[in-house]
Structure formats: structure tokens, C-alpha cells
Amino acid sequence: MPTSFMTKLSTDCMRKKRRFRRKKKQSQIECTAGKKERARVPSAEGESHISELSDEILVSILSRLTVREAVRTSVLSNRWRYVWTCIPVLNFDAKDKFLRLYHTSRGDEYNSSQSGFVDKYNYSNCVSSVLAQYRGPNVDEFRVCCDLDNAYSSHIDGWIEFALSNRVHTIELSLSIWPQPSCEKSYRLRSLESNMFVGFKSLKTLSLKAVNVDDEAIEYFLSNCPLLERLFLHGNHALRNLKVVGSSLMLRSLEVERCRFLETVEIYDTNLVSFTYVGKEPKTMILKNAPQLVEVSIDPCGSMLCARAMFSKLSCCFSQLRILRLTFWHFEQEKLTNYMLPELKNLKQFVLVVRRWSNESLLGFLAMIKNWPNLQRFVLQLKCVGFHIHDRERKPTRERNAETERKATKAYVREAARYYHPCLKMVEIAGYCSTCDFELFLQIIENTVTLEKIIIDTRDPNRYNDNDNESEKFYRELHSGEKRRLRTLVSPEVKLVIL
Amino acid sequence: MITLTSSDGQTFDVDEVVAVKMQTIKHLMEDGCAESGIPVPNVTGKILAKVIDFCKKHVETAKAEELRAWDADFIKVDQVTLYDLVMAANYLECKRLLDLTCQRVADMIKGKSPEDIREIFNIKNDFTPEEEEKIRKANQWAFE
């Protein structure tokens, strides 16, 4: 006859529970941490071994499954009925098909060619239902990823309240699958209730996409979350001014992406380590006194010149910068001087993401690294966007004739050949296209004596991005003849990897 | 050198640097209780040997790929041994081993229907049909 165990629920839990079910036969769930001595729960005759594991261990096992799979274990046996309700990670990623709700014939306004329709109504009901059944003492991570707008406000409000009152340390609300969420109907984070305040003390990561949060609320988060380390704001159209100021802030990583109406960004006197900005340059960008800032990523959604202009605003961190990532559109053969970036003494890694038209050669980029004597790793990602007009700034490259292009290329070869790098160890070219990038490859291997490894990746760098499949046709694997040719050109000490 | 004694009386001599991979042992060592050997009453000799093997390998090998391959082999054991390893890792507080073993069990559950899971793990369904129906209805979306 199994003995019964006392349930230990914190008083917080008691307050939150609306229905408190008592288990009929066996022990009640013990969701508090580690009772090592009682690893074995006395089992009925013939019970399997797995059910003898303690609740804590079973919860740990179920937390490695998707929410759906965890919920399914509720039907296994009485022992398992409520174990899932304590899993500390609640990841409701609709992309991962946690729901597997597909309605191919519904007239939904959202249509993703890859994953079919997702029934948003059912999704939000499911999330709310799971949260209502939750019994654990606290949630570590709460993630929602589904295209939802302000029609679902009441649900989303409830989720945020749940997360914060459960002392979650990571909140991720990703309410749009598109890179540029629209602003009119986006969910707006309104007032924060007093019972959520307890959650602020434990919040470490806050990631909001397609959620409109105004300046005051962001300010509030920054001042009242003493442990906040990562803040990601994506598609926040209510944000006008962002101020990250103060050495008491624990903020290490700040990411601001496509906040269209952002006017000022001020970062000073902080311990920020990594800063990412994607979008048109704001009217005012100030960076001062950020001695720990070593990683910067900029994507001005524009040309090389835009990237340089934005980057120059961050001059106070140039001497300490270790990792730099620049993304821009490349329109035509630009003057070599345009590529010159400021001196970055400590830069170890440089990632250059270039959106280019399929037939352009990009030798000039090698000149960029001349001013970086300590650079060890150079990653070049070449994203072909073909002949689609995505941006008004695009200049018509198709109109230039082939002769001019060849002449320009020769000039480049000569100029770029003058570059010689003392330290570069690893180069990776992703989105390599053998017709246009071969010269680039040659230049690199001929001018870098310290090179240890070079990776040629012929796969489409955009392949993980559902929305951009047009570029696929520009990429193909290298023929074995081409591969052999590349290998013969590379000296034996250098490791060549072809993907 | 630390001596660990299993529940069935087997003794194992373990290097300190390996023993500290088990937090429980580490704490006992720090508290100065380790001179005359440490008893491990919840773990049999067979399982303790495996745990020690695991810790040793993780101390000796630095290469992540090699370690991953070795772990994959290490975890290919029968269910009973697997659960014993889980419990030993939990008791001895060896986080990496606990992660590995729990993940293995999770992988065995992944993608299976409740009926399959019951069969694999020999779980007796002690619900009445009405109860089971009620549970399925409560979270219908998960069972579709």
C-alpha cells in the first residue's frame, strides 16, 4: 500500500491555482527541488521502472520534449497524469508544429507556402488552456511564436501575466513570422499589473517581435529588471526613443531590429557587450562610454555607404571591438575608397553579409580588411537576390555593358592584389558562386600567408529563411572538376573545406 | 585518491579530479569527510562503475566530437540500467550524466503514441475508459 506524500506547494502556487485536484490513489506531485534520498517512489506491484523515477526526474525528462509530446503523457497512467504540468520550459512555437493544426481549405489571411495554415484561434486557445493547467512552482522559459495581432490581445495579456507571475527568466513573444511586421494591427503591450512585478526580479531575457511597446514601458523594464541581460526589440512601432544608460544595468546584449519609427538611440555609461541594429539609421545615434562593447552588428537595410555612416557613429568602441558584422546591399562596382573602414585594432572576426545581384564580382571587399591587423576570421556571406527590386535605392546594374565590367574588374584585381594580411587565419565564403567568385578565392589564397583554413560553402545562405526562396536557383554544388581545381591552387598547409 | 563504496560493498579507487565531477562527493570531500572513504548507499557496484567510467572519460577527453561519440555508445544500455544510471546521476549530482540519460529517455518517448510509450516502458494503464476519454478531451489538440 503506497504511502502518501505531502504536497509542498509554495504559497504563490496556492494563490494561483484555481482548481486543486487531488490525486486519487498515489502520491501527490512534489514539484520542489531535489529530494535526493527519495529518488524511488514506492510502486504498485508490476509497475514499470520508469514510473519509479521521482517527479523531479520525470519532469526533467518531459522538459526535453515539445509541449505537445509532454501533454500526451498525461494519458499514460495515473502516475503520469500531472507530471507534464510542471515542466519549466513552455515553448509554443507554431513553426515547430507544436500543434500540428493544418487547415488547407480555410480562408485565412495568413498563408505560408511552407508550413500551411496555422489556425490562430485554436493556437491561442491551446496556449491559454495549457497555462491554465500549469502547476509548476516556476517557469524558466516562456516562448510564443505565431502570427498574432491585437485581435488576440486578451489572450496575450494573460500569457504575459502568467509568465511574469511565474518568475520566468526568458520571455520570447514572436508575433510575426515576417521579417517586416506591419504596424497597424500589431499587439500592443499595455499596462503591467501589480501581480506581474514579482516576475521582474527574475527576468533575464526579453525578446519581443511585432509587439508594440512604448518608450515608457521599455524604460520601466530596464529600470525594474535588475537581472535583465538581453533585450531584443523587433518590429516595435511604438518605440521612439531608446535609452540604455547606467552602469547598474546588467544589460549585455541589445538588439534593435526594424523599429521603423525609432528616432533616437542613446547608449552610454553601460556594460553592454553586444549591440545589433537593423534598420534605417535613426535621426540620433549616440554611443558613449561603453567599455565592454566588443560585438557590433549593423544592417542599415541600404548600401555600403549607409553602413559606413552608421558605423562611424559608434566610433568610441572602435579600439576595443572584436567582432563586427555588416550587412548591406551591393549595387555596382564602387570606388575602392568607399570600402575603407576605420582602423579597428582588436578586431578578430569580421562577418560581411552582402546582398548582391547574381553576376557581380566582389573583389573590392578584400580592401576592407586592410586596416585590421589582428583579424583572424573573415566570413563572407553572399546572398544573391537576383533581379528583384526590393529597395528603391537600387541602381540599374543590368544596363552596364560587359566590356566596362571587365575593365573595372581588372582594375580591381590590380588594386586588391596590393592587399596583404599579416594575421588572417580563417576565411569562409558562403553562397559561393564559381562563375563570379573564383577571382576572389584566388586573391585570398595568394595574398594571405597565415591562412590555415578556407571554407567554400556553395549552399544558399538564405536557405533557413522561409520567405526568400527565389535565390535558390543561383546556387549549385561545385562539379568535381571545379573542386579539383580549387584544391590544386591551395597550398598544402591550408585546409580547404568545400560544402 | 578517494575510495567509494557501493551499496553492495564494492570499492572503487578514484582520482580526486574525477571524483569532483560528482557534486555530492565533491561536497563531502570539501567538508573533510573523505579520509576513510565515502559510502554510496544508493548505488550498486555495477552502476557506480559506469558512473566513474563516465566521469573519467569526461576528465580525460577534451575533444567535443570524440566525447559525443563516446557518450552515444555509453548510453546504449537496457532500460533497467538506464533508469539506474538516471537515479545514480541524480543522487551523485553529476549533471552531464543526468542530462545524457534524461535526454536518452526523452528520445525514446519522442514521436511515439501513448500506446507505444506504454509498451516500450511497460507502463500499466490504470485509467478506466471514461477517465482516459476525459483526459484526452481535456487536451484534445495534443491527441489529434
Side-chain angles (χ1 to χ4, degrees), chain A residues 48 68 72 75-76 78 133, chain B residues 118 121-122 126 139 142 144:
Chain A
S48 74
R68 182 172 180 267
R72 281 154 74 94
V75 83
L76 291 176
N78 264 304
Q133 294 173 67
Chain B
R118 283 199 203 107
F121 294 104
N122 196 23
D126 53 1
N139 283 303
E144 273 160 8

Side-chain angles (χ1 to χ4, degrees), chain B residues 114-128:
Chain B
E115 293 76 28
D116 287 342
I117 299 175
R118 283 199 203 107
E119 206 179 304
I120 295 174
F121 294 104
N122 196 23
I123 298 174
K124 184 160 173 274
N125 182 359
D126 53 1
F127 290 124
T128 65

Side-chain angles (χ1 to χ4, degrees), chain A residues 359-381:
Chain A
N359 56 353
E360 286 179 1
S361 140
L362 297 158
L363 282 175
F365 293 124
L366 294 179
M368 284 177 113
I369 66 178
K370 279 188 191 175
N371 276 338
W372 304 333
N374 284 311
L375 190 72
Q376 290 184 2
R377 205 164 165 254
F378 178 27
V379 177
L380 184 57
Q381 283 189 15

